[in-house]
Amino acid sequence: ENAVRQADRVLLATDPDREGEAISWHITQELLGHGLLKGRAVQRITFTEITQLAVERALWAPREVSAQLVDAYLARRALDYLVGFNISPLLWRKLQGASSAGRVQSVALRLCCEREVEASKFVPEEYWSISAQFGLPGNKAVSAMLSRADGKKMGGMAIKDQQQAQSLTARIKAASFQVSDTQSKLQQRQPAAPFITSTLQQEASRRLGFGASRTMQAAQALYEGSEAGEGLITYMRTDGVQLSPEAVQAVRSTVVSHFGPNMVSQEPRVYKSRVKNAQEAHEAIRPTNPRLTPDKLPASLSSDQSKLYRLIWERTLASQMRNAVIEQIGVDFSNTDGSLVLRATGSSVKEPGY
């Protein structure tokens, strides 16, 4: 209150989402209720990265609190009241130790129940697959799977029981094989889009073993700057995969300086969300300064923050790098009369790309 009394203008810079807009609206209502806004302008500013340039741009473009975003927040709050306030007491009576239910938990529970029903209806079917090791020069070996027998494909669930599997195995052991066919083709593999909230959580779980809350705590600290002076990544709650033109240019320049001009894609890559109803109000999650490599991070960062920053930095740079070229190789081994065919497959990187 003292700060408001000493100011000519009030700037509200809460998070750039519905909840942030609602917080700004609530603050405005509280100040109005205390009679602190007489003769003072109240304006809303937003930025998706805590850097000097981003804050300065936001200060040059203030606006009013968005009534539509506030209405959206109020609608969500109404759903919480209508659903959560009715279901939670029932949950407390029926399930000891249950905390709460609401518009999110209830839908998630239904999805889990529907999947459980599908799983309970599953009827297991027996099937077998057969592989063999073929010797190669230099004491090497390659594994091949039975792909055809007597003119029939043996993939998937073609071998139904143990008796059929043992009969085919005996025939393979008694036969002599030679290479009957080879195929080779080149495939281009594109880099993945920059992270959104869900893909960041998935990749952090897969590569770092982080849970969702652990990931978001580290991301929040990186967004706020974590004693670095400025924010290190952009806003981490987003479903947009796009990058601003300035960010794309900075990322491509960093790729050239770190990996050479041949490693950047010929044209800037433009990503669009495949998710229906994605709002894409914010950029993808990216470093605020791509030139800040993981090796140059402030020593004050925790291990979790450093690991997560490296993950985000690598994904962002990869998104503007050239495709990788992969050679897919297939080799068929056939017995003398061609009634048995085993196939070995492999791949090798011809051009590393991203």
Side-chain angles (χ1 to χ4, degrees):
E1 291 184 8
N2 291 333
V4 173
R5 287 192 176 95
Q6 297 171 17
D8 298 325
R9 182 172 59 148
V10 177
L11 296 174
L12 303 172
T14 47
D15 282 352
D17 54 18
R18 283 194 201 92
E19 282 67 31
E21 204 75 17
I23 292 170
S24 291
W25 177 73
H26 280 298
I27 292 173
T28 303
Q29 299 304 307
E30 285 293 315
L31 294 176
L32 283 170
H34 287 78
L36 297 174
L37 295 183
K38 293 180 181 179
R40 295 182 177 88
V42 179
Q43 294 177 310
R44 175 88 164 100
I45 62 172
T46 58
F47 41 83
T48 57
E49 57 186 77
I50 304 177
T51 60
Q52 181 176 339
L53 179 60
V55 173
E56 287 177 350
R57 285 179 175 175
L59 290 171
W60 281 106
R63 60 172 174 80
E64 300 296 321
V65 173
S66 171
Q68 286 115 336
L69 290 177
V70 173
D71 287 342
Y73 153 76
L74 292 173
R76 292 176 70 173
R77 189 176 69 171
L79 285 174
D80 284 329
Y81 282 128
L82 292 170
V83 179
F85 279 46
N86 290 318
I87 295 180
S88 292
L90 174 65
L91 200 63
W92 299 333
R93 291 194 300 271
K94 299 296 183 180
L95 294 176
Q96 187 176 6
S99 56
S100 67
R103 58 180 171 80
V104 176
Q105 298 101 313
S106 300
V107 175
L109 179 60
R110 176 172 177 172
L111 291 173
C112 291
C113 291
E114 289 175 348
R115 183 59 61 88
E116 182 67 21
V117 170
E118 290 180 11
S120 66
K121 294 179 180 178
F122 174 74
V123 179
E125 294 183 42
E126 179 182 354
Y127 73 95
W128 294 70
S129 57
I130 301 173
S131 64
Q133 295 285 328
F134 289 95
L136 299 175
N139 294 323
K140 296 180 180 179
V142 63
S143 178
M145 299 287 296
L146 179 64
S147 63
R148 300 184 73 86
D150 301 322
K152 297 180 180 180
K153 291 184 178 180
M154 290 290 107
M157 301 173 65
I159 305 175
K160 296 291 186 180
D161 52 47
Q162 184 177 7
Q163 182 179 357
Q164 183 184 7
Q166 288 177 337
S167 173
L168 289 168
T169 300
R171 289 176 59 188
I172 292 171
K173 288 182 177 180
S176 297
F177 288 84
Q178 62 182 4
V179 174
S180 58
D181 189 22
T182 61
Q183 297 103 27
S184 175
K185 62 179 180 179
L186 298 179
Q187 289 185 338
Q188 301 240 356
R189 186 175 298 171
Q190 295 183 351
F195 283 128
I196 60 175
T197 304
S198 59
T199 54
L200 175 64
Q201 292 174 348
Q202 292 163 10
E203 196 70 359
S205 174
R206 186 179 72 86
R207 291 182 55 183
L208 304 177
F210 289 3
S213 59
R214 184 177 176 184
T215 298
M216 297 312 290
Q217 286 175 0
Q220 181 75 39
L222 291 172
Y223 171 67
E224 293 173 354
S226 188
E227 302 179 17
E230 287 191 337
L232 298 175
I233 64 171
T234 54
Y235 193 55
M236 63 285 164
R237 294 183 181 89
T238 177
D239 58 5
V241 293
Q242 72 277 6
L243 298 177
S244 69
E246 296 87 351
V248 170
Q249 188 58 42
V251 169
R252 293 175 65 83
S253 175
T254 305
V255 170
V256 171
S257 62
H258 279 77
F259 303 104
N262 294 329
M263 294 301 289
V264 71
S265 60
Q266 289 187 350
E267 298 292 334
R269 296 185 186 273
V270 178
Y271 294 92
K272 295 183 179 180
S273 176
R274 298 179 181 176
V275 180
K276 287 186 177 180
N277 301 322
Q279 297 173 32
E280 298 186 281
H282 313 307
E283 280 188 84
I285 304 169
R286 61 167 177 83
T288 56
N289 177 14
R291 295 176 183 82
L292 180 63
T293 64
D295 298 331
K296 297 179 181 178
L297 288 173
S300 58
L301 265 62
S302 69
S303 174
D304 282 4
Q305 294 162 14
S306 298
K307 290 177 181 177
L308 194 66
Y309 181 87
R310 179 179 290 276
L311 200 66
I312 295 169
W313 185 84
E314 290 177 349
R315 177 74 163 242
T316 304
L317 263 64
S319 70
Q320 291 298 323
M321 295 177 72
R322 62 183 296 184
N323 293 345
V325 179
I326 310 297
E327 183 180 18
Q328 300 284 351
I329 303 169
V331 179
D332 289 342
F333 298 90
S334 301
N335 63 346
T336 305
D337 60 7
S339 60
L340 297 171
V341 180
L342 286 87
R343 185 172 181 81
T345 59
S347 62
S348 62
V349 179
K350 298 294 288 186
E351 298 178 18
Y354 68 95

